[in-house]
Amino acid sequence: MRIPPLYLNSFKKGPALSYETGRASPSKRGERRKMVAETSRAMAKTAVEICEEKKGQEISIIDISEISVIADYFVIVTADNSRQVEALSDSLQDGMAKRGYGIRRAEGKPDSGWILLDYNDIIIHVFDKEQRFFYDLERIWSDGRKIVDPKEL
């Protein structure tokens, strides 16, 4: 016996889908956005805590959720030298993994002065001083909302 498509949706976990459109109802989409936003904030807070523990400097958070689809937050941190860039990157990857956040991609090498850690909802940039000054992401993403205090998240 075949089950009509209308009833298949009721057996799936997750948001109820509309029979006509195949999309989640507006209230379910709103709930999903809130859950994603909460997760993004928690991830950004976690990243900042790890950076502070490892003596990262000039930690900056930019909320880009309203201006870009690539992520919700940028976390930007400066290290004194290439060894600290590597140490911060390793600590961030380990700490985020321990808290259940899987990394999508890591780009760059400590010798380049910039390592990018992509966690889908947040992107962490670990710079040495020279590269941070050169790329000046805060200026490029100035349309985003700069978060001065991580407690604001």
Side-chain angles (χ1 to χ4, degrees), residues 48 51-52 55-61 75-80 88 125 127-130 132-133 136 138 146 148:
V48 169
C51 290
E52 288 173 344
K55 308 295 185 218
Q57 300 170 359
E58 302 173 41
I59 301 168
S60 178
I61 307 164
V75 176
I76 305 168
V77 61
T78 302
D80 282 330
L88 269 168
H125 300 271
F127 285 108
D128 66 15
K129 290 179 182 182
E130 183 180 327
R132 182 159 181 176
F133 178 75
D136 196 12
E138 285 92 344
K146 179 151 173 129
V148 179

mmCIF file of all heavy atoms in Angstrom, residues 48 51-52 55-61 75-80 88 125 127-130 132-133 136 138 146 148:
data_model
loop_
_atom_site.group_PDB
_atom_site.id
_atom_site.type_symbol
_atom_site.label_atom_id
_atom_site.label_comp_id
_atom_site.label_asym_id
_atom_site.label_seq_id
_atom_site.Cartn_x
_atom_site.Cartn_y
_atom_site.Cartn_z
ATOM 1 N N VAL A 48 35.133 33.650 21.651
ATOM 2 C CA VAL A 48 35.731 34.775 22.378
ATOM 3 C C VAL A 48 36.352 34.293 23.688
ATOM 4 O O VAL A 48 37.468 34.695 24.038
ATOM 5 C CB VAL A 48 34.683 35.884 22.628
ATOM 6 C CG1 VAL A 48 35.202 36.924 23.603
ATOM 7 C CG2 VAL A 48 34.289 36.537 21.310
ATOM 8 N N CYS A 51 39.609 32.591 22.921
ATOM 9 C CA CYS A 51 40.626 33.588 22.549
ATOM 10 C C CYS A 51 41.160 34.317 23.779
ATOM 11 O O CYS A 51 42.365 34.567 23.885
ATOM 12 C CB CYS A 51 40.048 34.600 21.557
ATOM 13 S SG CYS A 51 39.720 33.930 19.929
ATOM 14 N N GLU A 52 40.281 34.655 24.699
ATOM 15 C CA GLU A 52 40.709 35.341 25.922
ATOM 16 C C GLU A 52 41.591 34.440 26.783
ATOM 17 O O GLU A 52 42.579 34.891 27.351
ATOM 18 C CB GLU A 52 39.495 35.817 26.716
ATOM 19 C CG GLU A 52 38.795 36.993 26.072
ATOM 20 C CD GLU A 52 37.482 37.371 26.747
ATOM 21 O OE1 GLU A 52 36.944 36.542 27.528
ATOM 22 O OE2 GLU A 52 36.988 38.481 26.480
ATOM 23 N N LYS A 55 45.127 34.362 25.519
ATOM 24 C CA LYS A 55 45.776 35.678 25.445
ATOM 25 C C LYS A 55 45.726 36.288 24.046
ATOM 26 O O LYS A 55 46.653 36.979 23.629
ATOM 27 C CB LYS A 55 47.227 35.620 25.932
ATOM 28 C CG LYS A 55 47.406 34.977 27.303
ATOM 29 C CD LYS A 55 46.744 35.786 28.368
ATOM 30 C CE LYS A 55 47.052 35.165 29.735
ATOM 31 N NZ LYS A 55 45.940 35.214 30.637
ATOM 32 N N GLY A 56 44.641 36.044 23.323
ATOM 33 C CA GLY A 56 44.440 36.721 22.057
ATOM 34 C C GLY A 56 44.214 38.205 22.320
ATOM 35 O O GLY A 56 43.674 38.587 23.357
ATOM 36 N N GLN A 57 44.620 39.041 21.405
ATOM 37 C CA GLN A 57 44.523 40.488 21.590
ATOM 38 C C GLN A 57 43.525 41.086 20.609
ATOM 39 O O GLN A 57 43.251 40.504 19.560
ATOM 40 C CB GLN A 57 45.898 41.124 21.379
ATOM 41 C CG GLN A 57 46.947 40.615 22.329
ATOM 42 C CD GLN A 57 48.334 41.089 21.929
ATOM 43 O OE1 GLN A 57 48.507 41.782 20.939
ATOM 44 N NE2 GLN A 57 49.324 40.706 22.701
ATOM 45 N N GLU A 58 43.016 42.252 20.951
ATOM 46 C CA GLU A 58 42.128 43.017 20.072
ATOM 47 C C GLU A 58 40.999 42.138 19.515
ATOM 48 O O GLU A 58 40.754 42.121 18.307
ATOM 49 C CB GLU A 58 42.910 43.651 18.931
ATOM 50 C CG GLU A 58 44.014 44.578 19.362
ATOM 51 C CD GLU A 58 44.859 45.052 18.196
ATOM 52 O OE1 GLU A 58 44.283 45.350 17.126
ATOM 53 O OE2 GLU A 58 46.086 45.110 18.353
ATOM 54 N N ILE A 59 40.312 41.438 20.390
ATOM 55 C CA ILE A 59 39.226 40.560 19.956
ATOM 56 C C ILE A 59 38.049 41.424 19.521
ATOM 57 O O ILE A 59 37.608 42.303 20.251
ATOM 58 C CB ILE A 59 38.818 39.589 21.083
ATOM 59 C CG1 ILE A 59 40.014 38.735 21.504
ATOM 60 C CG2 ILE A 59 37.650 38.715 20.634
ATOM 61 C CD1 ILE A 59 39.804 37.955 22.784
ATOM 62 N N SER A 60 37.581 41.161 18.326
ATOM 63 C CA SER A 60 36.499 41.949 17.747
ATOM 64 C C SER A 60 35.417 41.003 17.247
ATOM 65 O O SER A 60 35.713 39.949 16.678
ATOM 66 C CB SER A 60 37.056 42.779 16.592
ATOM 67 O OG SER A 60 36.058 43.511 15.976
ATOM 68 N N ILE A 61 34.160 41.405 17.445
ATOM 69 C CA ILE A 61 33.025 40.613 16.960
ATOM 70 C C ILE A 61 32.194 41.522 16.062
ATOM 71 O O ILE A 61 31.848 42.644 16.447
ATOM 72 C CB ILE A 61 32.146 40.113 18.123
ATOM 73 C CG1 ILE A 61 32.981 39.374 19.158
ATOM 74 C CG2 ILE A 61 31.021 39.234 17.596
ATOM 75 C CD1 ILE A 61 32.274 39.191 20.474
ATOM 76 N N VAL A 75 34.469 36.661 14.140
ATOM 77 C CA VAL A 75 35.264 36.877 15.341
ATOM 78 C C VAL A 75 36.694 37.074 14.841
ATOM 79 O O VAL A 75 37.237 36.225 14.145
ATOM 80 C CB VAL A 75 35.183 35.685 16.321
ATOM 81 C CG1 VAL A 75 36.091 35.911 17.516
ATOM 82 C CG2 VAL A 75 33.747 35.462 16.774
ATOM 83 N N ILE A 76 37.268 38.222 15.182
ATOM 84 C CA ILE A 76 38.602 38.576 14.694
ATOM 85 C C ILE A 76 39.512 38.736 15.900
ATOM 86 O O ILE A 76 39.162 39.425 16.865
ATOM 87 C CB ILE A 76 38.556 39.885 13.883
ATOM 88 C CG1 ILE A 76 37.539 39.757 12.749
ATOM 89 C CG2 ILE A 76 39.932 40.221 13.340
ATOM 90 C CD1 ILE A 76 37.202 41.064 12.065
ATOM 91 N N VAL A 77 40.667 38.085 15.849
ATOM 92 C CA VAL A 77 41.602 38.128 16.973
ATOM 93 C C VAL A 77 43.026 38.293 16.439
ATOM 94 O O VAL A 77 43.345 37.806 15.358
ATOM 95 C CB VAL A 77 41.473 36.862 17.860
ATOM 96 C CG1 VAL A 77 41.774 35.601 17.080
ATOM 97 C CG2 VAL A 77 42.319 36.952 19.107
ATOM 98 N N THR A 78 43.845 38.989 17.215
ATOM 99 C CA THR A 78 45.234 39.230 16.829
ATOM 100 C C THR A 78 46.171 38.462 17.740
ATOM 101 O O THR A 78 45.943 38.373 18.951
ATOM 102 C CB THR A 78 45.563 40.739 16.935
ATOM 103 O OG1 THR A 78 44.662 41.455 16.105
ATOM 104 C CG2 THR A 78 46.988 41.027 16.507
ATOM 105 N N ALA A 79 47.236 37.923 17.144
ATOM 106 C CA ALA A 79 48.291 37.229 17.885
ATOM 107 C C ALA A 79 49.607 37.974 17.664
ATOM 108 O O ALA A 79 49.771 38.679 16.673
ATOM 109 C CB ALA A 79 48.407 35.789 17.393
ATOM 110 N N ASP A 80 50.534 37.810 18.599
ATOM 111 C CA ASP A 80 51.815 38.517 18.522
ATOM 112 C C ASP A 80 52.723 38.011 17.412
ATOM 113 O O ASP A 80 53.462 38.771 16.807
ATOM 114 C CB ASP A 80 52.561 38.409 19.855
ATOM 115 C CG ASP A 80 52.000 39.355 20.893
ATOM 116 O OD1 ASP A 80 51.490 40.426 20.516
ATOM 117 O OD2 ASP A 80 52.071 39.015 22.094
ATOM 118 N N LEU A 88 46.630 29.772 18.932
ATOM 119 C CA LEU A 88 45.235 30.222 19.008
ATOM 120 C C LEU A 88 44.340 29.381 18.103
ATOM 121 O O LEU A 88 43.252 28.962 18.504
ATOM 122 C CB LEU A 88 45.133 31.689 18.604
ATOM 123 C CG LEU A 88 45.253 32.721 19.700
ATOM 124 C CD1 LEU A 88 45.435 34.107 19.111
ATOM 125 C CD2 LEU A 88 44.054 32.695 20.601
ATOM 126 N N HIS A 125 38.720 34.690 12.397
ATOM 127 C CA HIS A 125 39.940 35.122 11.719
ATOM 128 C C HIS A 125 41.023 35.309 12.781
ATOM 129 O O HIS A 125 40.858 36.118 13.692
ATOM 130 C CB HIS A 125 39.728 36.456 11.001
ATOM 131 C CG HIS A 125 38.660 36.418 9.959
ATOM 132 N ND1 HIS A 125 38.923 36.069 8.656
ATOM 133 C CD2 HIS A 125 37.331 36.675 10.026
ATOM 134 C CE1 HIS A 125 37.798 36.128 7.962
ATOM 135 N NE2 HIS A 125 36.825 36.487 8.767
ATOM 136 N N PHE A 127 44.736 36.555 13.131
ATOM 137 C CA PHE A 127 45.742 37.338 12.410
ATOM 138 C C PHE A 127 46.970 37.587 13.269
ATOM 139 O O PHE A 127 46.862 37.653 14.492
ATOM 140 C CB PHE A 127 45.197 38.745 12.090
ATOM 141 C CG PHE A 127 44.205 38.814 10.976
ATOM 142 C CD1 PHE A 127 42.867 39.047 11.245
ATOM 143 C CD2 PHE A 127 44.599 38.700 9.659
ATOM 144 C CE1 PHE A 127 41.950 39.162 10.223
ATOM 145 C CE2 PHE A 127 43.691 38.820 8.623
ATOM 146 C CZ PHE A 127 42.359 39.052 8.908
ATOM 147 N N ASP A 128 48.112 37.802 12.589
ATOM 148 C CA ASP A 128 49.209 38.473 13.281
ATOM 149 C C ASP A 128 48.963 39.972 13.089
ATOM 150 O O ASP A 128 48.082 40.379 12.331
ATOM 151 C CB ASP A 128 50.586 38.008 12.803
ATOM 152 C CG ASP A 128 50.914 38.374 11.363
ATOM 153 O OD1 ASP A 128 50.211 39.231 10.770
ATOM 154 O OD2 ASP A 128 51.869 37.809 10.814
ATOM 155 N N LYS A 129 49.716 40.810 13.776
ATOM 156 C CA LYS A 129 49.444 42.254 13.761
ATOM 157 C C LYS A 129 49.548 42.859 12.364
ATOM 158 O O LYS A 129 48.715 43.669 11.957
ATOM 159 C CB LYS A 129 50.398 42.968 14.721
ATOM 160 C CG LYS A 129 50.095 42.680 16.166
ATOM 161 C CD LYS A 129 51.065 43.385 17.087
ATOM 162 C CE LYS A 129 50.730 43.024 18.520
ATOM 163 N NZ LYS A 129 51.586 43.682 19.483
ATOM 164 N N GLU A 130 50.560 42.450 11.648
ATOM 165 C CA GLU A 130 50.792 43.016 10.315
ATOM 166 C C GLU A 130 49.641 42.698 9.359
ATOM 167 O O GLU A 130 49.151 43.579 8.642
ATOM 168 C CB GLU A 130 52.111 42.473 9.762
ATOM 169 C CG GLU A 130 52.497 43.032 8.415
ATOM 170 C CD GLU A 130 53.814 42.456 7.919
ATOM 171 O OE1 GLU A 130 54.701 42.156 8.741
ATOM 172 O OE2 GLU A 130 53.940 42.299 6.699
ATOM 173 N N ARG A 132 46.562 41.787 10.102
ATOM 174 C CA ARG A 132 45.301 42.405 10.527
ATOM 175 C C ARG A 132 45.233 43.856 10.075
ATOM 176 O O ARG A 132 44.197 44.324 9.599
ATOM 177 C CB ARG A 132 45.138 42.316 12.039
ATOM 178 C CG ARG A 132 43.803 42.918 12.478
ATOM 179 C CD ARG A 132 43.366 42.444 13.795
ATOM 180 N NE ARG A 132 42.084 43.023 14.171
ATOM 181 C CZ ARG A 132 41.452 42.702 15.253
ATOM 182 N NH1 ARG A 132 41.969 41.812 16.084
ATOM 183 N NH2 ARG A 132 40.305 43.252 15.555
ATOM 184 N N PHE A 133 46.336 44.564 10.232
ATOM 185 C CA PHE A 133 46.381 45.953 9.789
ATOM 186 C C PHE A 133 46.210 46.039 8.269
ATOM 187 O O PHE A 133 45.492 46.893 7.759
ATOM 188 C CB PHE A 133 47.704 46.608 10.216
ATOM 189 C CG PHE A 133 47.842 48.023 9.764
ATOM 190 C CD1 PHE A 133 47.149 49.048 10.390
ATOM 191 C CD2 PHE A 133 48.666 48.333 8.692
ATOM 192 C CE1 PHE A 133 47.275 50.357 9.962
ATOM 193 C CE2 PHE A 133 48.796 49.639 8.254
ATOM 194 C CZ PHE A 133 48.100 50.656 8.892
ATOM 195 N N ASP A 136 42.413 44.740 7.337
ATOM 196 C CA ASP A 136 41.455 45.657 7.969
ATOM 197 C C ASP A 136 39.995 45.237 7.733
ATOM 198 O O ASP A 136 39.194 45.982 7.165
ATOM 199 C CB ASP A 136 41.705 47.075 7.470
ATOM 200 C CG ASP A 136 41.036 48.118 8.353
ATOM 201 O OD1 ASP A 136 40.577 47.761 9.457
ATOM 202 O OD2 ASP A 136 40.975 49.297 7.939
ATOM 203 N N GLU A 138 37.567 45.012 9.732
ATOM 204 C CA GLU A 138 36.587 45.866 10.398
ATOM 205 C C GLU A 138 36.133 47.002 9.472
ATOM 206 O O GLU A 138 34.965 47.379 9.481
ATOM 207 C CB GLU A 138 37.148 46.453 11.698
ATOM 208 C CG GLU A 138 37.227 45.463 12.836
ATOM 209 C CD GLU A 138 38.575 44.758 12.919
ATOM 210 O OE1 GLU A 138 39.350 44.788 11.937
ATOM 211 O OE2 GLU A 138 38.850 44.174 13.968
ATOM 212 N N LYS A 146 29.126 46.191 14.961
ATOM 213 C CA LYS A 146 30.274 45.838 15.796
ATOM 214 C C LYS A 146 29.780 45.628 17.220
ATOM 215 O O LYS A 146 29.076 46.469 17.776
ATOM 216 C CB LYS A 146 31.323 46.934 15.758
ATOM 217 C CG LYS A 146 32.501 46.607 16.635
ATOM 218 C CD LYS A 146 33.748 47.235 16.132
ATOM 219 C CE LYS A 146 34.816 46.983 17.162
ATOM 220 N NZ LYS A 146 35.999 46.461 16.738
ATOM 221 N N VAL A 148 30.839 45.437 20.875
ATOM 222 C CA VAL A 148 31.948 45.871 21.710
ATOM 223 C C VAL A 148 32.167 44.922 22.880
ATOM 224 O O VAL A 148 33.292 44.542 23.185
ATOM 225 C CB VAL A 148 31.709 47.319 22.222
ATOM 226 C CG1 VAL A 148 32.843 47.766 23.121
ATOM 227 C CG2 VAL A 148 31.533 48.258 21.059
#
